[in-house]
Amino acid sequence: MTSPTAQESTRLIPVARGNLPALGHAYHLWRHTLEFLDSLRAYGGVVRINIGTLPMYMVTDPELTRRVLTSESRHFETGGRMGDNLALIFGSGVGTINGDGHRRQRRILQPLFNRSYIAAHTDVMRDAVRGRVSGWREGIPFEAAAEMDRVMVAAFLTTLFGPTLPAPREEEFYRLLRTLMKGVMRKTVAPSWANRVMVTANREFDRALARLRQIIGDLIREGRQSPEAAGGVFRAMLAARDPDTGAGMTDAQIADEAVTMLGTTGEAPGTALAWALHEISRNPDIQRRVRSEVDTVCGGRPPGPADLAALEYTRCVLTEVMRHHGPGYLFTRWTTAPVDLGGYLIPAHANVAYSQYIVHHDPAVFPDPQRFDPDRWLPDAPTVSRSSYLPFGLGSRQCLGENFSWTAMLLTVAEIAARWDLHPHRSRPVKPVASTTVRPHHLTITPRARTTGPGAA
């Protein structure tokens, strides 16, 4: 048990209002997600909510959230309701295991996700993105969230398995992942009794998981039999060795890591890109600045790693998208012992949650948090608290796929800006809906071919 500092004293953990019989706060968390999360900040640094009758301790203070992820992380293992449900999909992948197993897997996988390795795969990733973006039709609107999910799934599948994966298999991966990730959030926020009666939804989840595991297992067997035919990061995973022991990964470990990578690097960056298209399409000045930067940096040629590093303003737009719009909003941990967190006494074996949305919309950290302002991230702008910016987490469990996600998102925006002017299909406000990520509901974008500039048709 950790001890409070001299400035901290034991605080009673309040219970949020709106606790309903049998449901607890699950109804508010599911139906009014962002409004409910915003309301929790008023209770103090930690507030208790109930999922059914199960207590969950929500950390709302940015500094306490940082402690959970960094200096106090030894007391907060991966797990809790969301972590346990993710483990149904990811198995014992690096995102769900703890202790020595986590450290070992991270040591093996880390080289496959550093900047230089991802840079070496930029060309195949870019070609996958271009294959989707160049297929848009002039003046024909598309649903942004679904399309950006497909772009990211295509980019990552190409990076993971190489460019020869058949298109029908790519579409099947997309559908399976959507079913599974939606199921995870449903299982997380619904009371246990409600999950038990959702028979049809649970069967769909189980079928999708079995099919995804079957596909991955087949690919692993094919890769073991013909290593020269395996492509991308997958080939490197088959050959990867623990730098300390020289041991490789078993087929089960490779399957868990492949599914983990697919689940964590598809929907979140896809959702962020959908929101980016929303902001770019409805803000002519932002669109002009992004387009001008892409034209200046790339000059009409395919963007490479050096070009992506030079897209300063475009990166600011994406940085602000991930602050303002999420995409993540709820993550859970499991306490290994009683913990004193800033004077709040949290019991052992408790579900502890933190929210990127709560931290990123705290006015004490990000002034005027409801305003979308990419300029707040420019180098010469007033300093913002980067220690409270956590779209990829913090500490020893920071997302391994961060470099991939940045590369894929910057490539996608650059490819779109070089070819298309974007316009909102409808003028009505876009509603954010919390699923696995905070997704824009019925966001449709109309692309118009550019008539000027290096990328003009």
Side-chain angles (χ1 to χ4, degrees):
M1 176 173 173
T2 59
S3 300
T5 67
Q7 290 77 29
E8 295 168 342
S9 58
T10 301
R11 301 180 177 96
L12 179 67
I13 299 177
V15 179
R17 290 187 293 274
N19 190 41
L20 301 174
L23 292 174
H25 298 90
Y27 174 82
H28 306 295
L29 189 58
W30 184 250
R31 295 301 301 273
H32 308 288
T33 310
L34 302 185
E35 296 89 341
F36 179 66
L37 291 175
D38 258 331
S39 73
L40 297 180
R41 200 180 296 111
Y43 292 95
V46 180
V47 57
R48 174 179 159 175
I49 63 175
N50 295 315
I51 306 300
T53 58
L54 179 71
M56 181 181 290
Y57 299 91
M58 180 72 70
V59 182
T60 66
D61 178 77
E63 171 58 22
L64 296 184
T65 301
R66 189 191 63 77
R67 290 195 206 177
V68 168
L69 299 178
T70 57
S71 62
E72 304 285 343
S73 62
R74 65 192 181 280
H75 303 293
F76 299 92
E77 286 192 343
T78 292
R81 281 185 69 90
M82 187 168 193
D84 292 345
N85 286 317
L86 285 173
L88 297 175
I89 304 175
F90 300 158
S92 297
V94 72
T96 53
I97 55 176
N98 292 291
D100 291 340
H102 172 260
R103 286 185 285 273
R104 176 184 182 274
Q105 288 300 98
R106 196 169 181 101
R107 278 199 309 269
I108 295 175
L109 296 172
Q110 187 76 57
L112 309 185
F113 285 91
N114 61 33
R115 286 188 175 89
S116 60
Y117 194 91
I118 296 299
H121 290 79
T122 297
D123 289 351
V124 293
M125 196 186 307
R126 183 189 60 231
D127 291 345
V129 171
R130 179 173 293 177
R132 293 288 313 188
V133 170
S134 63
W136 295 350
R137 294 195 295 167
E138 164 77 22
I140 304 300
F142 59 84
E143 206 285 317
E147 178 63 13
M148 290 299 99
D149 279 351
R150 284 183 163 87
V151 169
M152 287 296 94
V153 169
F156 189 68
L157 286 174
T158 299
T159 308
L160 182 58
F161 296 117
T164 59
L165 197 69
R169 180 60 57 82
E170 180 182 304
E171 181 64 21
E172 186 176 19
F173 269 119
Y174 167 77
R175 288 187 290 101
L176 293 172
L177 289 168
R178 288 290 299 136
T179 298
L180 291 171
M181 298 310 288
K182 286 171 65 177
V184 162
M185 190 50 63
R186 184 192 70 245
K187 290 172 179 290
T188 298
V189 303
S192 298
W193 63 264
N195 277 311
R196 288 194 294 271
V197 301
M198 294 180 184
V199 178
T200 300
N202 288 333
R203 284 177 179 167
E204 290 178 354
F205 181 93
D206 292 341
R207 283 196 296 266
L209 181 57
R211 176 57 181 158
L212 181 64
R213 287 284 175 169
Q214 178 188 359
I215 296 172
I216 296 293
D218 290 344
L219 290 169
I220 291 172
R221 283 188 290 275
E222 293 168 9
R224 294 290 195 198
Q225 293 167 3
S226 304
E228 69 284 353
V233 175
F234 186 60
R235 174 188 286 182
M237 289 173 64
L238 291 170
R241 295 291 182 269
D242 187 317
D244 294 334
T245 67
M249 289 190 287
T250 66
D251 288 2
Q253 287 171 329
I254 291 175
D256 288 345
E257 299 302 351
V259 174
T260 297
M261 292 174 193
L262 286 169
T264 56
T265 56
E267 185 168 2
T271 298
L273 281 169
W275 283 116
L277 299 196
H278 170 63
E279 295 295 350
I280 289 171
S281 68
R282 75 189 189 112
N283 290 285
D285 182 61
I286 291 176
Q287 182 156 209
R288 177 189 59 77
R289 292 171 68 180
V290 169
R291 187 173 56 213
S292 176
E293 181 176 70
V294 170
D295 289 350
T296 300
V297 170
C298 300
R301 68 179 180 278
D307 299 317
L308 299 183
L311 295 177
E312 181 181 273
Y313 180 72
T314 305
R315 181 179 282 266
C316 289
V317 172
L318 288 167
T319 301
E320 180 69 349
V321 162
M322 288 187 286
R323 182 204 67 81
H324 188 270
H325 292 292
Y329 64 95
L330 185 69
F331 300 87
T332 63
R333 292 289 189 267
W334 182 253
T335 56
T336 58
V339 178
D340 187 321
L341 183 67
Y344 295 96
L345 299 178
I346 300 175
H349 312 305
N351 280 274
V352 175
Y354 70 94
S355 170
Q356 295 172 347
Y357 180 85
I358 292 176
V359 172
H360 289 170
H361 289 78
D362 191 321
V365 180
F366 298 101
D368 197 3
Q370 297 301 331
R371 179 168 59 94
F372 183 82
D373 181 16
D375 287 351
R376 74 171 83 229
W377 300 100
L378 289 172
D380 58 351
T383 302
V384 294
S385 177
R386 292 184 179 271
S387 66
S388 294
Y389 181 71
L390 42 117
F392 298 98
L394 294 172
S396 63
R397 304 199 72 98
Q398 188 162 336
C399 179
L400 270 174
E402 180 175 359
N403 290 329
F404 165 81
S405 295
W406 273 114
T407 299
M409 289 189 295
L410 286 165
L411 276 173
T412 301
V413 174
E415 286 288 340
I416 293 171
R419 284 174 167 74
W420 303 102
D421 288 326
L422 303 179
H423 303 271
H425 180 57
R426 296 185 179 91
S427 58
R428 66 188 185 194
V430 175
K431 181 183 178 182
V433 175
S435 178
T436 315
T437 56
V438 182
R439 297 171 67 82
H441 186 58
H442 293 320
L443 170 60
T444 48
I445 301 291
T446 301
R448 301 283 183 189
R450 286 187 56 184
T451 56
T452 60

